Amino acid sequence: MQDILWLPFIIASIAVISIPGQDMMLIMTKSISTGTKAGMLTAAGVSTGLIVHTIVVSLGLGSLIMASELLFLTIKIAGALYLFYLGYQLMRSNGVVAIKEAGEKKQSWLYLFLYGAISNISNPKILIFYLAFLPQFVGQGVGSPVMKIFCMGLVFAALTFLMKMPVAIFSGILSGWLKRKTSVLKWFMRTSGGLLIFIGINVLIEKRA
C-alpha cells in the first residue's frame, strides 16, 4: 500500500476527527453521566461504526445507497430519529439526577458499545464524507483501489478511537467536578441535547451527492 498518500491522509484525518461533532458529544455525555469506562466503550462503538462505513464504501454499496433515493431516505430518517431521541433524553435530564439514574441502571458494555455504533452507522453524512474523502488519497500505483480504501478506512477508524479516548477520560474526570456544580451540569446536558437535535435536523435535510 505504498502508493497511498499516507502522510497527507493522516494529517487530513486528524484535522477532521478533531472537529467537534455528534460523536464527541455522545462520548462526553456518556463519560460524564456514567463514567470513563462508559465513554471509552461508546468511543469503541463509534469507531466500529466507521469500520462498517468502510466496508460499505469498499464493496461499492455506498454508491448504490447514494443512487437509491429510497435507501438513502430510509437511512437518513432512521439516523435523524435516533439523534432526536438521544437529544431529547439529554435535554430532559436533570444534572446530577441523570448521573444517579445512569449509575443505578448499570448499563451493560454491549448497550454502551451499540449506543455509539448505531449513532454512527445510521448517519448518512459519514457515508457521503467517506465517498468524497478516501478516494482523494489513492495513488496511481499498482494494487486494488478497493483494498486501498479499505485500509485507509481502518486507519481512520483507529485514529478516531485513539483521539476520542482522551475525550472520554477527561470527561470522566470532569464528572466529579460537575457533580458539585449541578447548574453547570444541567446546562451542559441540555446544550448537548440541543446540539444533537440540531445535528439530527442537518441529517434530515441532507441531500444525495
Side-chain angles (χ1 to χ4, degrees), residues 38-180:
M40 292 172 68
L41 285 167
T42 303
V46 165
S47 298
T48 302
L50 290 172
I51 293 175
V52 172
H53 281 291
T54 298
I55 295 171
V56 168
V57 172
S58 299
L59 295 177
L61 298 177
S63 298
L64 177 63
I65 292 171
M66 296 301 295
S68 171
E69 185 174 351
L70 179 60
L71 279 175
F72 183 76
L73 183 62
T74 301
I75 294 174
K76 184 170 71 170
I77 291 175
L81 288 177
Y82 187 65
L83 287 174
F84 290 157
Y85 169 75
L86 296 179
Y88 171 73
Q89 291 292 98
L90 288 174
M91 289 191 74
R92 66 185 290 269
S93 65
N94 186 26
V96 174
V97 174
I99 292 179
K100 183 179 178 182
E101 288 179 349
E104 290 173 349
K105 288 178 182 177
K106 302 288 183 182
Q107 295 170 338
S108 69
W109 70 266
L110 181 60
Y111 170 83
L112 294 166
F113 178 82
L114 291 176
Y115 178 84
I118 293 173
S119 72
N120 200 292
I121 293 170
S122 61
N123 188 350
K125 292 176 75 72
I126 297 173
L127 182 63
I128 295 170
F129 166 74
Y130 260 33
L131 286 169
F133 181 72
L134 297 181
Q136 296 184 55
F137 303 96
V138 175
Q140 299 299 317
V142 295
S144 168
V146 171
M147 285 305 300
K148 294 174 187 177
I149 288 175
F150 182 72
C151 288
M152 285 190 292
L154 292 182
V155 171
F156 189 89
L159 285 172
T160 298
F161 182 67
L162 291 175
M163 293 181 67
K164 301 301 184 187
M165 280 258 288
V167 174
I169 295 170
F170 176 76
S171 300
I173 295 171
L174 191 65
S175 66
W177 178 79
L178 287 173
K179 286 178 183 178
R180 300 189 296 272

Side-chain angles (χ1 to χ4, degrees), residues 5-19:
L5 307 177
W6 283 114
L7 184 59
F9 169 70
I10 290 173
I11 292 173
S13 296
I14 291 173
V16 169
I17 296 167
S18 300
I19 300 172

